[in-house]
Amino acid sequence: QSVLTQPPSVSGAPGQRVTISCTGSSSNIGAGYDVHWYQQIPGTAPKVLIYGDTNRPSGVPARFSGSKSGTSASLAITGLQAEDEADYYCQSYDSSLSGSVFGGGTRLTVL
Amino acid sequence: QVQLVESGGGVVQPGRSLRLSCAASGFTFSNYGLHWVRQAPGKGLEWVAVIWYEGINKDYGDSVKGRFTISRDNSKNTMYLQMNSLRVEDTALYYCARARGDSSGYFDFWGQGTPVTVSS
């Protein structure tokens, strides 16, 4: 059972918009700690997609965006492309655990 | 360019020990914290441990606390994970990742991982 809760799977057709939620608690996201998002293509290492709730590293397309409110955060992907098919993970810090925590991951399928 | 290369993984029996290494290059090693993150087969990411700068400050995930020890040698640009009393549930691909920011920061570069299998 992950500290941060994500839906196991989402799907969308090419060109559509999808969102992936990440729900935490008052000791992590709700405490104001940053939320970060990673993309992992099967068989490869994770890659940071969004950091500090809403920031994109250079090279990450603007189709990817992040938001946060209360004890939850979301990753939005617009203009879905076949290459976006991957696993997505949220990550934050938990003050009760004194360490980083991940969501359970969401598998994105492009129909 | 930043590179992180893990090594030391393998097959080990329950209760035995293993030491993983993470060799870094392309950045000033002592200026960054470093993490171990693991991924069991077909499962999600799990944070294992972090070590900061000179190696004094460290933290561990609950599942490995008391069994694993993280360390670093800044003269060799290398981080280690000493894993003792290994359990079947420690079977995973172990990644090292560079910390960006403080404890609430993110992992900006990752290695390719080294596999650990704990089995009798």
Side-chain angles (χ1 to χ4, degrees):
Chain A
Q1 200 81 336
S2 301
V3 173
L4 305 179
T5 301
Q6 297 180 233
S9 63
V10 297
S11 62
Q16 284 190 332
R17 178 181 187 269
V18 297
T19 61
I20 299 172
S21 61
C22 174
T23 302
S25 66
S26 58
S27 60
N28 42 68
I29 299 176
Y33 292 111
D34 285 346
V35 178
H36 320 292
W37 292 90
Y38 301 86
Q39 178 192 59
Q40 185 180 34
I41 293 167
T44 70
K47 165 191 144 183
V48 60
L49 213 53
I50 298 288
Y51 67 91
D53 301 337
T54 61
N55 302 290
R56 277 178 293 105
S58 60
V60 173
R63 304 186 293 106
F64 295 90
S65 63
S67 63
K68 186 174 84 176
S69 178
T71 58
S72 295
S74 288
L75 173 71
I77 310 171
T78 58
L80 212 52
Q81 299 180 4
E83 67 205 48
D84 298 332
E85 196 159 278
D87 296 318
Y88 293 83
Y89 294 90
C90 59
Q91 176 242 324
S92 186
Y93 178 83
D94 191 286
S95 57
S96 297
L97 299 172
S98 297
S100 295
V101 288
F102 284 98
T106 298
R107 171 67 57 90
L108 169 62
T109 301
V110 180
L111 301 171
Chain B
Q1 71 282 23
V2 173
Q3 272 200 310
L4 298 168
V5 180
E6 304 92 338
S7 62
V11 181
V12 62
Q13 292 179 325
R16 304 299 291 264
S17 300
L18 205 59
R19 188 176 87 152
L20 306 183
S21 299
C22 171
S25 60
F27 63 99
T28 303
F29 187 73
S30 59
N31 285 356
Y32 290 86
L34 292 160
H35 297 261
W36 287 101
V37 177
R38 68 185 182 183
Q39 187 168 34
K43 302 296 184 184
L45 301 172
E46 180 188 10
W47 176 75
V48 174
V50 62
I51 187 167
W52 297 99
Y53 313 122
E54 298 305 318
I56 297 170
N57 293 310
K58 314 169 187 181
D59 274 309
Y60 299 90
D62 285 348
S63 61
V64 307
K65 209 170 286 186
R67 299 187 300 122
F68 289 12
T69 301
I70 191 171
S71 62
R72 63 191 293 164
D73 185 339
N74 288 349
S75 69
K76 295 182 178 178
N77 287 0
T78 303
M79 174 180 67
Y80 305 97
L81 186 68
Q82 178 66 42
M83 305 186 295
N84 297 333
S85 303
L86 281 161
R87 304 168 180 167
V88 171
E89 54 265 34
D90 295 319
T91 294
L93 185 63
Y94 284 73
Y95 293 103
C96 66
R98 192 178 78 166
R100 194 64 184 263
D102 59 15
S103 300
S104 65
Y106 64 103
F107 313 129
D108 64 349
F109 286 95
W110 298 64
Q112 286 308 301
T114 186
V116 172
T117 301
V118 184
S119 173
S120 54

